[in-house]
Amino acid sequence: MHRDEAGWQKAADLMVRRQIEARGIADPRVCAAMRSVPRHVFVPEAVAGAAYEDRPLSIGYGQTISQPYMVARVTELLCLPEGGNVLEVGAGSGYQTAVLAAMGMRVIGLERIEALALVARKRLDSLGLAGEIRTADGRFGWAPGAPYDGIVVSAAAEEVEPAWMEQLSGTGVLVVPLAGPFFGERLLVRRKSGNLHEDEWYDFCRYVPLLEGVEPEDPEASASKAPEDPK
């Protein structure tokens, strides 16, 4: 489903109008990027028919692709100009990385599960997007690409990791779903100003948890666990 150009573009346009703009996302750059990136490419074939629905979908390995609204909301909260240097922690399918790249960001996505990272790289390459995917433990950020104008965490964290703040520029912005003394998680936007920062809380949400370590690809398990290669 949605493989033909007109079909998926119509579905993406409806997704943006009904799920994103209708819920208050007003940044035209965000909406344009969400229209331009084919979401069905970032999910396994078995769930491609639901790719433009406003819900998370399984991508294998106990991970999900976030619902479109949350991707748009996080991108809007990041609020960076074209050319901004961005790190994404927990790249998963590569969809959030792709949306940021489509907005002209210089973006590095970190994914701890090597099999997911490999497929995400292929997806970005197949679409001609310049986002970069690295296999790494996102809790430690990615120092070679720092400083970052923005860091997006696409998994629920229990705390703001020191490495993220260290790798942000002096005026950088961190957007992270943070677990706290409330049900689920809530989006925290932390704006850095030199050695200080200012916090603002936004939407309640639910993400898969941020996990430690790196999970290398297991050739014997990949056939049954890994998501399908993009076509």
Side-chain angles (χ1 to χ4, degrees), residues 39-58:
R39 191 169 185 257
H40 66 273
V41 171
F42 292 85
V43 300
E45 181 71 26
V47 295
Y52 297 93
E53 296 177 8
D54 195 33
R55 60 188 177 100
L57 296 169
S58 173

Side-chain angles (χ1 to χ4, degrees), residues 29 31 34 36 38 42 48 56 64 74-75 79 87-88 93 95 105 108 111 119 151 155 171 174 177 215 229:
R29 300 179 310 137
C31 294
M34 298 290 290
S36 72
F42 292 85
T64 62
V74 165
T75 306
C79 194
L87 178 71
E88 184 195 4
S93 70
Y95 182 63
M105 307 293 178
I108 297 173
E111 173 51 52
V119 175
I151 296 178
T171 56
L174 169 72
E215 185 176 319
D229 222 355

Side-chain angles (χ1 to χ4, degrees), residues 88-188:
E88 184 195 4
V89 173
S93 70
Y95 182 63
Q96 175 77 78
T97 302
V99 169
L100 292 167
M103 293 177 66
M105 307 293 178
R106 303 189 308 274
V107 54
I108 297 173
L110 304 181
E111 173 51 52
R112 62 176 295 273
I113 301 173
E114 187 173 13
L116 289 178
L118 289 170
V119 175
R121 288 189 200 107
K122 292 179 182 179
R123 288 169 173 152
L124 292 172
D125 288 345
S126 73
L127 296 172
L129 293 171
E132 183 180 344
I133 303 290
R134 298 276 185 170
T135 304
D137 186 334
R139 297 174 305 143
F140 303 108
W142 187 257
Y148 299 102
D149 302 305
I151 296 178
V152 170
V153 182
S154 297
E158 294 185 356
E159 62 181 351
V160 173
E161 297 289 345
W164 301 340
M165 296 306 294
E166 291 168 3
Q167 293 173 23
L168 275 177
S169 71
T171 56
V173 180
L174 169 72
V175 183
V176 53
L178 202 65
F182 34 72
F183 179 75
E185 300 90 39
R186 195 173 179 186
L187 288 177
L188 169 68

Side-chain angles (χ1 to χ4, degrees), residues 1-14 35 38 40 52:
M1 188 177 291
H2 304 307
R3 289 302 185 188
D4 62 289
E5 188 79 6
W8 80 257
Q9 287 193 333
K10 181 179 179 180
D13 182 65
L14 286 173
R35 283 187 172 95
H40 66 273
Y52 297 93

Side-chain angles (χ1 to χ4, degrees), residues 27 84 225 231:
D27 188 329
K225 291 179 66 180
K231 297 179 178 62

